Amino acid sequence: CLQRALLPPLTAIATSTRALRRSNCIPSCSVSYQKFVEFALDETKRHTHLIPSPLQEKFSFMNSKDVKGSFSMLSFEAAKIRLLRSLIIQTETMQVLDFTVFPKAEYDVPIFCANFFTSAKTNIIVLDLNPVHDIINQYEYKEKYFKSLIPLGLKYAELFPWGGKLTSESIKFFSPIVIWTKFTSNPQKYDILYSAFREYYKVWLELICKAVKETDESQIFHNLEAQHRYLTWRAEKDPGRGVLKKLIGDTLAKDMLRSFLFNGVDELGSKTFNDYFPQYCCQEGNLNKKGNIIGKSFENRPWNARGEFIGSFSWID
Ligand code: BLA
């Protein structure tokens, strides 16, 4: 894992550091997600060499349309990482962290996913090692990556109660250790969230470091398609789309979703959202634009203490 590549250009480092600094928390806000990203970058650099992504040129910093909000973006690649990218949004009324790390297709390691939305009223939190393959039916994949992590998941499941109903698609992209929760703003909760983030990121780094490069072409393709399916889901159904459009307008929001946040959705495969998720197709063949309304379920955590799936899917799945 400790592979060393060429040093990144100084300009790219300077740009990304400036972008981080500019995202300094405004005085009224209760949480700053900047330290989360700083921790993740420092920790990653202890294990591998990060190279600034070509995306960094285009996506680094921008203001919202009303100039009251800021978007700070960072993106890197590494020997086993196709894309590590983060977005911090700060406005007078909310903070958002969207931090995701996508492994290269030669590795079937889960996708690291931290998705935090904070407003005055509430916090909507997803922290997980999103499985690339189906862990509900593929016992071996679940054993390979999650068996040893169940105690970690249980610890935080107690501290962060289940956030409520979700679509069956989201559930299938989540692992038995997912932290899916909502809470009202509270400094102690942010401290626990920061601990959870650090612990989850450290275990994810261990997984990617230990991962052995796949050489079987069909397995690599299988991993690639699974990642493309994931990107297709998130680029289309991200619950943040509405907020993004409001802040930066339709065109930039779409560009941010497809070219930055879920980069690869237009390049890694040719299947469409309808191909992967035909259940979302209306009678006329149009995508259901209302959001994730089909089959919302799972009011309670659908995994037991052994990490076994105990939920049930509706007929539509
Ligand atoms: C809400 N974000 C949510 C919800 C989930 C996620 C599960 C609850 C709403 C729902 O879908 O039922 C996150 N969903 C995920 C993740 C996966 C998934 C991580 O399937 C991975 C597979 N969120 C952002 C950004 C913003 C944002 C960039 O990532 C804002 C700019 C906001 N998320 C946001 C908001 C809500 C939300 C505003 C509430 C939406 C609502 O209640 O309709």
PDB file of all heavy atoms in Angstrom, residues 228-247:
ATOM      1  N   HIS A 228     -20.630   1.738 -11.279  1.00  0.00           N
ATOM      2  CA  HIS A 228     -21.393   2.590 -12.186  1.00  0.00           C
ATOM      3  C   HIS A 228     -22.870   2.639 -11.773  1.00  0.00           C
ATOM      4  O   HIS A 228     -23.529   3.676 -11.828  1.00  0.00           O
ATOM      5  CB  HIS A 228     -21.259   2.084 -13.631  1.00  0.00           C
ATOM      6  CG  HIS A 228     -21.905   2.990 -14.626  1.00  0.00           C
ATOM      7  ND1 HIS A 228     -22.996   2.622 -15.370  1.00  0.00           N
ATOM      8  CD2 HIS A 228     -21.626   4.280 -14.970  1.00  0.00           C
ATOM      9  CE1 HIS A 228     -23.362   3.642 -16.130  1.00  0.00           C
ATOM     10  NE2 HIS A 228     -22.535   4.648 -15.909  1.00  0.00           N
ATOM     11  N   ARG A 229     -23.374   1.501 -11.329  1.00  0.00           N
ATOM     12  CA  ARG A 229     -24.761   1.436 -10.867  1.00  0.00           C
ATOM     13  C   ARG A 229     -24.940   2.357  -9.647  1.00  0.00           C
ATOM     14  O   ARG A 229     -25.919   3.094  -9.540  1.00  0.00           O
ATOM     15  CB  ARG A 229     -25.085  -0.026 -10.511  1.00  0.00           C
ATOM     16  CG  ARG A 229     -26.501  -0.279 -10.103  1.00  0.00           C
ATOM     17  CD  ARG A 229     -26.720  -1.794  -9.942  1.00  0.00           C
ATOM     18  NE  ARG A 229     -28.086  -2.048  -9.548  1.00  0.00           N
ATOM     19  CZ  ARG A 229     -28.522  -2.042  -8.302  1.00  0.00           C
ATOM     20  NH1 ARG A 229     -27.683  -1.795  -7.311  1.00  0.00           N
ATOM     21  NH2 ARG A 229     -29.788  -2.274  -8.028  1.00  0.00           N
ATOM     22  N   TYR A 230     -23.969   2.305  -8.756  1.00  0.00           N
ATOM     23  CA  TYR A 230     -23.997   3.153  -7.555  1.00  0.00           C
ATOM     24  C   TYR A 230     -23.997   4.636  -7.952  1.00  0.00           C
ATOM     25  O   TYR A 230     -24.789   5.432  -7.464  1.00  0.00           O
ATOM     26  CB  TYR A 230     -22.775   2.813  -6.695  1.00  0.00           C
ATOM     27  CG  TYR A 230     -22.597   3.649  -5.444  1.00  0.00           C
ATOM     28  CD1 TYR A 230     -23.105   3.224  -4.226  1.00  0.00           C
ATOM     29  CD2 TYR A 230     -21.893   4.852  -5.475  1.00  0.00           C
ATOM     30  CE1 TYR A 230     -22.933   3.983  -3.065  1.00  0.00           C
ATOM     31  CE2 TYR A 230     -21.722   5.611  -4.326  1.00  0.00           C
ATOM     32  CZ  TYR A 230     -22.238   5.171  -3.126  1.00  0.00           C
ATOM     33  OH  TYR A 230     -22.068   5.932  -1.982  1.00  0.00           O
ATOM     34  N   LEU A 231     -23.089   4.977  -8.885  1.00  0.00           N
ATOM     35  CA  LEU A 231     -22.989   6.372  -9.325  1.00  0.00           C
ATOM     36  C   LEU A 231     -24.291   6.825  -9.977  1.00  0.00           C
ATOM     37  O   LEU A 231     -24.748   7.955  -9.781  1.00  0.00           O
ATOM     38  CB  LEU A 231     -21.840   6.525 -10.339  1.00  0.00           C
ATOM     39  CG  LEU A 231     -20.427   6.323  -9.797  1.00  0.00           C
ATOM     40  CD1 LEU A 231     -19.436   6.159 -10.945  1.00  0.00           C
ATOM     41  CD2 LEU A 231     -20.020   7.513  -8.917  1.00  0.00           C
ATOM     42  N   THR A 232     -24.881   5.908 -10.754  1.00  0.00           N
ATOM     43  CA  THR A 232     -26.118   6.234 -11.463  1.00  0.00           C
ATOM     44  C   THR A 232     -27.234   6.528 -10.458  1.00  0.00           C
ATOM     45  O   THR A 232     -28.008   7.473 -10.623  1.00  0.00           O
ATOM     46  CB  THR A 232     -26.511   5.062 -12.391  1.00  0.00           C
ATOM     47  OG1 THR A 232     -25.405   4.784 -13.242  1.00  0.00           O
ATOM     48  CG2 THR A 232     -27.722   5.397 -13.241  1.00  0.00           C
ATOM     49  N   TRP A 233     -27.280   5.720  -9.413  1.00  0.00           N
ATOM     50  CA  TRP A 233     -28.295   5.939  -8.368  1.00  0.00           C
ATOM     51  C   TRP A 233     -28.102   7.306  -7.709  1.00  0.00           C
ATOM     52  O   TRP A 233     -29.007   8.121  -7.616  1.00  0.00           O
ATOM     53  CB  TRP A 233     -28.215   4.829  -7.305  1.00  0.00           C
ATOM     54  CG  TRP A 233     -29.007   5.148  -6.062  1.00  0.00           C
ATOM     55  CD1 TRP A 233     -28.518   5.567  -4.863  1.00  0.00           C
ATOM     56  CD2 TRP A 233     -30.433   5.111  -5.920  1.00  0.00           C
ATOM     57  NE1 TRP A 233     -29.541   5.788  -3.977  1.00  0.00           N
ATOM     58  CE2 TRP A 233     -30.730   5.520  -4.601  1.00  0.00           C
ATOM     59  CE3 TRP A 233     -31.490   4.772  -6.775  1.00  0.00           C
ATOM     60  CZ2 TRP A 233     -32.029   5.603  -4.105  1.00  0.00           C
ATOM     61  CZ3 TRP A 233     -32.795   4.857  -6.288  1.00  0.00           C
ATOM     62  CH2 TRP A 233     -33.046   5.263  -4.975  1.00  0.00           C
ATOM     63  N   ARG A 234     -26.882   7.550  -7.282  1.00  0.00           N
ATOM     64  CA  ARG A 234     -26.644   8.771  -6.511  1.00  0.00           C
ATOM     65  C   ARG A 234     -26.736  10.028  -7.367  1.00  0.00           C
ATOM     66  O   ARG A 234     -27.257  11.047  -6.916  1.00  0.00           O
ATOM     67  CB  ARG A 234     -25.301   8.684  -5.767  1.00  0.00           C
ATOM     68  CG  ARG A 234     -25.346   7.584  -4.684  1.00  0.00           C
ATOM     69  CD  ARG A 234     -24.392   7.800  -3.557  1.00  0.00           C
ATOM     70  NE  ARG A 234     -24.599   9.081  -2.881  1.00  0.00           N
ATOM     71  CZ  ARG A 234     -23.752   9.595  -2.007  1.00  0.00           C
ATOM     72  NH1 ARG A 234     -22.647   8.942  -1.713  1.00  0.00           N
ATOM     73  NH2 ARG A 234     -23.991  10.760  -1.422  1.00  0.00           N
ATOM     74  N   ALA A 235     -26.245   9.967  -8.602  1.00  0.00           N
ATOM     75  CA  ALA A 235     -26.319  11.153  -9.460  1.00  0.00           C
ATOM     76  C   ALA A 235     -27.777  11.522  -9.737  1.00  0.00           C
ATOM     77  O   ALA A 235     -28.131  12.693  -9.843  1.00  0.00           O
ATOM     78  CB  ALA A 235     -25.575  10.911 -10.765  1.00  0.00           C
ATOM     79  N   GLU A 236     -28.629  10.513  -9.826  1.00  0.00           N
ATOM     80  CA  GLU A 236     -30.040  10.776 -10.157  1.00  0.00           C
ATOM     81  C   GLU A 236     -30.881  11.083  -8.922  1.00  0.00           C
ATOM     82  O   GLU A 236     -31.759  11.927  -8.951  1.00  0.00           O
ATOM     83  CB  GLU A 236     -30.609   9.550 -10.876  1.00  0.00           C
ATOM     84  CG  GLU A 236     -32.029   9.704 -11.387  1.00  0.00           C
ATOM     85  CD  GLU A 236     -32.156  10.758 -12.480  1.00  0.00           C
ATOM     86  OE1 GLU A 236     -31.281  10.809 -13.374  1.00  0.00           O
ATOM     87  OE2 GLU A 236     -33.110  11.534 -12.423  1.00  0.00           O
ATOM     88  N   LYS A 237     -30.586  10.398  -7.821  1.00  0.00           N
ATOM     89  CA  LYS A 237     -31.506  10.457  -6.677  1.00  0.00           C
ATOM     90  C   LYS A 237     -30.956  11.183  -5.461  1.00  0.00           C
ATOM     91  O   LYS A 237     -31.563  11.122  -4.392  1.00  0.00           O
ATOM     92  CB  LYS A 237     -31.889   9.019  -6.262  1.00  0.00           C
ATOM     93  CG  LYS A 237     -32.789   8.321  -7.261  1.00  0.00           C
ATOM     94  CD  LYS A 237     -34.166   8.937  -7.254  1.00  0.00           C
ATOM     95  CE  LYS A 237     -35.041   8.390  -8.357  1.00  0.00           C
ATOM     96  NZ  LYS A 237     -36.268   9.163  -8.540  1.00  0.00           N
ATOM     97  N   ASP A 238     -29.816  11.829  -5.596  1.00  0.00           N
ATOM     98  CA  ASP A 238     -29.261  12.497  -4.416  1.00  0.00           C
ATOM     99  C   ASP A 238     -30.295  13.450  -3.824  1.00  0.00           C
ATOM    100  O   ASP A 238     -30.762  14.370  -4.498  1.00  0.00           O
ATOM    101  CB  ASP A 238     -27.995  13.274  -4.797  1.00  0.00           C
ATOM    102  CG  ASP A 238     -27.180  13.613  -3.565  1.00  0.00           C
ATOM    103  OD1 ASP A 238     -27.695  14.345  -2.684  1.00  0.00           O
ATOM    104  OD2 ASP A 238     -26.044  13.124  -3.474  1.00  0.00           O
ATOM    105  N   PRO A 239     -30.637  13.240  -2.544  1.00  0.00           N
ATOM    106  CA  PRO A 239     -31.647  14.120  -1.941  1.00  0.00           C
ATOM    107  C   PRO A 239     -31.180  15.572  -1.840  1.00  0.00           C
ATOM    108  O   PRO A 239     -31.972  16.453  -1.545  1.00  0.00           O
ATOM    109  CB  PRO A 239     -31.871  13.517  -0.545  1.00  0.00           C
ATOM    110  CG  PRO A 239     -31.270  12.164  -0.587  1.00  0.00           C
ATOM    111  CD  PRO A 239     -30.170  12.219  -1.596  1.00  0.00           C
ATOM    112  N   GLY A 240     -29.895  15.819  -2.110  1.00  0.00           N
ATOM    113  CA  GLY A 240     -29.382  17.183  -2.047  1.00  0.00           C
ATOM    114  C   GLY A 240     -29.585  17.960  -3.346  1.00  0.00           C
ATOM    115  O   GLY A 240     -29.304  19.159  -3.393  1.00  0.00           O
ATOM    116  N   ARG A 241     -30.099  17.276  -4.380  1.00  0.00           N
ATOM    117  CA  ARG A 241     -30.235  17.945  -5.680  1.00  0.00           C
ATOM    118  C   ARG A 241     -30.986  19.268  -5.592  1.00  0.00           C
ATOM    119  O   ARG A 241     -30.590  20.274  -6.164  1.00  0.00           O
ATOM    120  CB  ARG A 241     -30.993  17.049  -6.673  1.00  0.00           C
ATOM    121  CG  ARG A 241     -30.121  16.085  -7.441  1.00  0.00           C
ATOM    122  CD  ARG A 241     -31.002  15.144  -8.231  1.00  0.00           C
ATOM    123  NE  ARG A 241     -32.118  14.709  -7.367  1.00  0.00           N
ATOM    124  CZ  ARG A 241     -33.315  14.320  -7.771  1.00  0.00           C
ATOM    125  NH1 ARG A 241     -33.597  14.315  -9.036  1.00  0.00           N
ATOM    126  NH2 ARG A 241     -34.240  13.930  -6.910  1.00  0.00           N
ATOM    127  N   GLY A 242     -32.102  19.230  -4.844  1.00  0.00           N
ATOM    128  CA  GLY A 242     -32.945  20.431  -4.723  1.00  0.00           C
ATOM    129  C   GLY A 242     -32.163  21.591  -4.121  1.00  0.00           C
ATOM    130  O   GLY A 242     -32.218  22.721  -4.618  1.00  0.00           O
ATOM    131  N   VAL A 243     -31.410  21.298  -3.068  1.00  0.00           N
ATOM    132  CA  VAL A 243     -30.628  22.341  -2.386  1.00  0.00           C
ATOM    133  C   VAL A 243     -29.559  22.875  -3.339  1.00  0.00           C
ATOM    134  O   VAL A 243     -29.343  24.088  -3.454  1.00  0.00           O
ATOM    135  CB  VAL A 243     -29.967  21.785  -1.103  1.00  0.00           C
ATOM    136  CG1 VAL A 243     -29.176  22.860  -0.383  1.00  0.00           C
ATOM    137  CG2 VAL A 243     -31.009  21.176  -0.173  1.00  0.00           C
ATOM    138  N   LEU A 244     -28.883  21.947  -4.044  1.00  0.00           N
ATOM    139  CA  LEU A 244     -27.824  22.373  -4.973  1.00  0.00           C
ATOM    140  C   LEU A 244     -28.391  23.306  -6.046  1.00  0.00           C
ATOM    141  O   LEU A 244     -27.805  24.349  -6.345  1.00  0.00           O
ATOM    142  CB  LEU A 244     -27.193  21.152  -5.655  1.00  0.00           C
ATOM    143  CG  LEU A 244     -26.260  20.286  -4.812  1.00  0.00           C
ATOM    144  CD1 LEU A 244     -25.756  19.103  -5.626  1.00  0.00           C
ATOM    145  CD2 LEU A 244     -25.080  21.106  -4.304  1.00  0.00           C
ATOM    146  N   LYS A 245     -29.536  22.909  -6.608  1.00  0.00           N
ATOM    147  CA  LYS A 245     -30.136  23.729  -7.668  1.00  0.00           C
ATOM    148  C   LYS A 245     -30.485  25.115  -7.152  1.00  0.00           C
ATOM    149  O   LYS A 245     -30.277  26.117  -7.833  1.00  0.00           O
ATOM    150  CB  LYS A 245     -31.407  23.052  -8.200  1.00  0.00           C
ATOM    151  CG  LYS A 245     -31.117  21.910  -9.148  1.00  0.00           C
ATOM    152  CD  LYS A 245     -32.409  21.344  -9.687  1.00  0.00           C
ATOM    153  CE  LYS A 245     -32.131  20.120 -10.541  1.00  0.00           C
ATOM    154  NZ  LYS A 245     -33.358  19.430 -10.922  1.00  0.00           N
ATOM    155  N   LYS A 246     -31.002  25.150  -5.942  1.00  0.00           N
ATOM    156  CA  LYS A 246     -31.381  26.441  -5.363  1.00  0.00           C
ATOM    157  C   LYS A 246     -30.146  27.325  -5.171  1.00  0.00           C
ATOM    158  O   LYS A 246     -30.172  28.519  -5.429  1.00  0.00           O
ATOM    159  CB  LYS A 246     -32.055  26.194  -4.009  1.00  0.00           C
ATOM    160  CG  LYS A 246     -33.078  27.240  -3.645  1.00  0.00           C
ATOM    161  CD  LYS A 246     -33.814  26.816  -2.404  1.00  0.00           C
ATOM    162  CE  LYS A 246     -33.930  28.010  -1.471  1.00  0.00           C
ATOM    163  NZ  LYS A 246     -34.296  27.670  -0.128  1.00  0.00           N
ATOM    164  N   LEU A 247     -29.049  26.716  -4.765  1.00  0.00           N
ATOM    165  CA  LEU A 247     -27.858  27.499  -4.442  1.00  0.00           C
ATOM    166  C   LEU A 247     -27.059  27.935  -5.668  1.00  0.00           C
ATOM    167  O   LEU A 247     -26.528  29.044  -5.699  1.00  0.00           O
ATOM    168  CB  LEU A 247     -26.937  26.714  -3.502  1.00  0.00           C
ATOM    169  CG  LEU A 247     -27.435  26.509  -2.070  1.00  0.00           C
ATOM    170  CD1 LEU A 247     -26.526  25.551  -1.321  1.00  0.00           C
ATOM    171  CD2 LEU A 247     -27.507  27.846  -1.324  1.00  0.00           C
TER     172      LEU A 247
END
